[in-house]
Amino acid sequence: MPKRVDHAQRRTEIAEALVQAAGRHGLHAVGMRDVAAEAGVSLRLVQYYFESKEKLLLFGLRHLAGKFGERVTARVSAAGDDPGPRAVIEALLTAALPVDEESRLFHQLFTSYAVLSVTDEALAAQPFITDPDAAESTLTALLHQAADTGLLQADVDVHAEAVGLLAMSAGLGTSVLVGQRDAQSATTVLRYHLDRIFQT
Amino acid sequence: MPKRVDHAQRRTEIAEALVQAAGRHGLHAVGMRDVAAEAGVSLRLVQYYFESKEKLLLFGLRHLAGKFGERVTARVSAAGDDPGPRAVIEALLTAALPVDEESRLFHQLFTSYAVLSVTDEALAAQPFITDPDAAESTLTALLHQAADTGLLQADVDVHAEAVGLLAMSAGLGTSVLVGQRDAQSATTVLRYHLDRIFQT
DNA sequence: ACGTTTGTGGTACGTTCGTATCACAAAGAC
DNA sequence: GTCTTTGTGATACGAACGTACCACAAACGT
């Protein structure tokens, strides 16, 4: 009974199924059949909407990146209307921390994709450079803004802080992911480091 | 012509072959046959010295962790005899950065193992908690030592700095690994952050 | 000297994977 | 009202994977 179908939506549903299945058994272990079962469709349909597994994986990565972007902007705007730079920066940095199941998935799968991209050149061309670069320039701009308003201490190197804080956030996220630390203490550490560069 | 063989050494050789093969095509893509070929032995022998692939992977992880530990202590002692805490800390933090091919491999495979450990409980019991915890307490002790000698600024929270710096080092390592940043600039960022907590 | 252990090769088995093929029904085009 | 496109199912195929099995020779124990 083939009604006309919205390809974009179907692809999104399947990509979401990929994400869920990958979350349970790991991205490396997920196959076309698992994705099909998770999405409640036949193997053939996964093949139909994505010609190959590689295409599926690439789309899954972009899907994940998109959802993550939405999450970050949602977090930032939840910081209130016209929040100070400090609040925005804090929202930005803590958005990457695995505090709930959704962000755990993000972190886990992004890391999986990132490490895959080291040996897979098709993946290497994907958002692993552009997205962090965007985050870096956004954060740099926010810090500059804070510096201009006199909110920052005088001797801070804005760029070095942006790079360092993002790296710290990512590193803390990983340590939370593997269970070494809980999200609460990671947030505390992040806040401490922000306190140290902002004017008291 | 079976001469008596040193099992420990043979296992180490095979584990090293695993590391090399995994570095080329990714840990997820490495099979027993690849390891055998890389080590220049037959598939049967890999089976003989490691009963299963899982055992091989576990041993490979421990092998990697061991080599990394050696590398760190080598780096630290290369900082000179009786170096200041600052030099030791810098050596510690920069040892994790992918500056050469060997450390690139470390970082790539450790990350692979770490993300595997999220969904594989046999791997989760491995050094992903104890090793970073050891690094954390070592770094905390070094910072305390520096604080007691008046080398640190007065208002630094030693534990929060230790956690933050280690996370930053790991995060910077990943960004170097995926090619977003080069090792030089990562080192610069790390040094800047050390400069900010040490007394001028 | 003989029997047992130890190291090694070759190879076969069952499974799973990604992909390809064949068939066919419902919906739109004209 | 045909005819073509579009969506879907079932299934087959070849490759690769981890593992198991069989055979055998060198070394060691006694």
Side-chain angles (χ1 to χ4, degrees):
Chain A
M1 48 285 269
K3 283 193 226 163
R4 221 39 167 280
V5 131
D6 182 349
H7 271 227
Q9 179 190 337
R10 198 66 97 113
R11 284 164 64 91
T12 302
E13 288 171 12
I14 296 179
E16 190 59 29
L18 164 68
V19 167
Q20 296 300 324
R24 264 200 304 283
H25 304 106
L27 187 62
H28 69 287
V30 97
M32 306 282 278
R33 288 167 177 83
D34 304 86
V35 175
E38 179 77 28
V41 301
S42 74
L43 167 62
R44 179 67 182 89
L45 279 209
V46 181
Q47 279 189 271
Y48 182 69
Y49 289 101
F50 301 91
E51 299 172 22
S52 68
K53 185 183 185 182
E54 187 181 33
K55 300 255 182 71
L56 170 60
L57 286 178
L58 287 176
F59 187 87
L61 173 56
R62 283 202 298 273
H63 172 68
L64 213 53
K67 284 217 314 182
F68 185 68
E70 291 173 17
R71 183 187 173 93
V72 171
T73 56
R75 284 294 194 96
V76 167
S77 55
D81 28 281
D82 194 31
R86 162 72 198 249
V88 175
I89 290 173
E90 194 171 315
L92 208 77
L93 290 175
T94 56
L97 257 36
V99 291
D100 53 20
E101 212 48 46
E102 192 190 27
S103 51
R104 265 192 75 86
L105 256 180
F106 282 147
H107 212 100
Q108 180 196 339
L109 298 187
F110 257 109
T111 310
S112 299
Y113 273 115
V115 74
L116 279 188
S117 81
V118 175
T119 48
D120 184 323
E121 55 183 37
L123 242 38
Q126 290 302 117
F128 291 108
I129 316 277
T130 63
D131 275 17
D133 271 356
E136 189 176 309
S137 47
T138 301
L139 184 52
T140 305
L142 284 168
L143 285 173
H144 258 128
Q145 181 184 330
D148 291 348
T149 356
L151 292 174
L152 287 194
Q153 303 211 344
D155 59 341
V156 304
D157 177 334
V158 166
H159 184 253
E161 288 292 348
V163 172
L165 285 170
L166 283 172
M168 191 186 297
S169 172
L172 285 172
T174 305
S175 72
V176 171
L177 191 69
V178 300
Q180 190 208 353
R181 199 179 318 281
D182 61 39
Q184 174 67 52
S185 94
T187 309
T188 305
V189 170
L190 224 34
R191 287 219 186 89
Y192 160 81
H193 282 272
L194 286 181
D195 284 340
R196 267 192 56 83
I197 61 170
F198 275 85
Q199 207 67 257
T200 55
Chain B
M1 47 282 271
K3 280 193 228 164
R4 218 42 164 278
V5 133
D6 182 347
H7 272 225
Q9 179 190 336
R10 196 66 93 113
R11 286 164 61 90
T12 301
E13 288 171 11
I14 296 179
E16 190 58 31
L18 164 68
V19 167
Q20 296 300 325
R24 264 201 304 282
H25 304 106
L27 186 62
H28 69 287
V30 159
M32 306 282 277
R33 287 166 176 85
D34 304 86
V35 175
E38 179 77 28
V41 301
S42 73
L43 168 62
R44 179 68 181 88
L45 278 209
V46 180
Q47 281 189 267
Y48 182 70
Y49 289 100
F50 301 92
E51 300 172 22
S52 67
K53 187 184 184 182
E54 185 180 32
K55 299 255 181 71
L56 170 59
L57 285 179
L58 288 175
F59 187 87
L61 173 56
R62 284 202 297 273
H63 173 66
L64 214 52
K67 283 218 313 182
F68 185 67
E70 290 172 19
R71 183 187 172 94
V72 171
T73 57
R75 283 293 193 97
V76 167
S77 56
D81 28 281
D82 193 30
R86 161 72 197 250
V88 176
I89 290 173
E90 193 170 316
L92 209 75
L93 291 175
T94 56
L97 258 35
V99 292
D100 52 21
E101 213 49 45
E102 193 190 27
S103 51
R104 265 193 73 87
L105 257 181
F106 282 148
H107 212 100
Q108 179 196 338
L109 298 187
F110 257 110
T111 309
S112 298
Y113 273 115
V115 75
L116 279 189
S117 80
V118 175
T119 48
D120 184 324
E121 57 183 36
L123 241 38
Q126 290 301 118
F128 291 108
I129 316 276
T130 62
D131 275 18
D133 270 356
E136 188 177 311
S137 50
T138 301
L139 184 51
T140 304
L142 284 167
L143 285 173
H144 258 129
Q145 181 183 332
D148 292 347
T149 355
L151 291 175
L152 288 195
Q153 303 210 344
D155 59 342
V156 304
D157 177 335
V158 165
H159 183 253
E161 288 291 348
V163 173
L165 285 170
L166 283 172
M168 191 186 298
S169 173
L172 285 172
T174 304
S175 72
V176 171
L177 190 69
V178 300
Q180 190 208 355
R181 201 179 319 282
D182 62 37
Q184 174 66 51
S185 92
T187 310
T188 306
V189 169
L190 224 35
R191 287 219 186 89
Y192 160 81
H193 282 272
L194 286 180
D195 285 340
R196 268 192 55 84
I197 62 170
F198 275 85
Q199 206 67 257
T200 55

